[in-house]
Amino acid sequence: LYFRTGGVSDKNEYLFAIADLAPQLELLEFSCDHLAAQGVEAVLRSCKSLKSLYLYPTGSSQISMDTFCDIARHCQRLETLHLQFFSDSGTQLPERCFPFLKSLSIGEHSRLSENFFREVAKNCSRLDKLDVAACTGVTDSVLEGFLKFHRNNFTS
């Protein structure tokens, strides 16, 4: 089951309805003004079969590191994750999260720390696509560190 929506104006109740009515959901693409963490968490707790998740908050809202950690905790089957307006606070990811994640895209207007890349490299052993082209604060040395750490952890 797949669910796509776009341009929903402040309708986080849709997320609660999805959580209640579609626990077998495999793909969710959701764009909403003022995306609320509670609505996202309800979907994450209910939809254990999610393989692809695309979250696009609009307006002034951002996806927090707490929400990212909730995704990591609850979406063990996730293969594709795309987030826009993501703000990394330097928090550590849960151990052994994202065991099947192959593609991670962090979209425009997102800020990422060096620690974020270290955590992703440490936890996402199957990652083969990392798209951070639109993020701010991503330097060559940060990406080189990520590649070195990722290669060292998963080639041995």
Side-chain angles (χ1 to χ4, degrees):
L1 180 63
Y2 301 97
F3 184 82
R4 292 182 70 186
T5 184
V8 177
S9 178
D10 204 17
K11 299 289 184 188
N12 281 283
E13 64 262 19
Y14 290 144
L15 289 173
F16 291 104
I18 291 166
D20 287 341
L21 301 173
Q24 71 279 21
L25 192 69
E26 291 183 3
L27 181 146
L28 174 61
E29 185 172 339
F30 197 81
S31 175
C32 179
D33 289 347
H34 313 293
L35 189 64
Q38 300 90 341
V40 173
E41 188 171 355
V43 169
L44 300 178
R45 288 185 184 278
S46 176
C47 301
K48 300 292 186 187
S49 298
L50 270 178
K51 291 182 181 177
S52 300
L53 180 61
Y54 302 82
L55 293 178
Y56 306 104
T58 58
S60 61
S61 61
Q62 285 194 331
I63 297 170
S64 70
M65 189 62 178
D66 289 340
T67 299
F68 188 81
C69 287
D70 285 341
I71 295 168
R73 264 190 288 286
H74 298 294
C75 296
Q76 291 297 304
R77 295 183 181 158
L78 206 61
E79 296 175 5
T80 302
L81 178 60
H82 184 97
L83 305 174
Q84 271 189 233
F85 297 98
F86 172 64
S87 181
D88 163 31
S89 62
T91 306
Q92 284 189 299
L93 292 175
E95 287 293 318
R96 295 180 298 280
C97 64
F98 296 128
F100 298 105
L101 193 67
K102 296 176 185 175
S103 176
L104 175 61
S105 297
I106 307 291
E108 59 186 286
H109 306 292
S110 297
R111 293 183 314 271
L112 304 174
S113 69
E114 189 170 342
N115 183 63
F116 175 81
F117 287 99
R118 195 171 18 259
E119 288 292 307
V120 168
K122 181 174 77 174
N123 287 288
C124 302
S125 62
R126 295 186 184 195
L127 193 68
D128 59 18
K129 178 186 175 196
L130 176 65
D131 182 357
V132 293
C135 298
T136 58
V138 180
T139 64
D140 288 346
S141 64
V142 167
L143 290 178
E144 287 169 8
F146 168 80
L147 291 172
K148 181 180 178 183
F149 192 86
H150 192 273
R151 197 174 310 119
N152 288 343
N153 274 350
F154 304 113
T155 58
S156 54

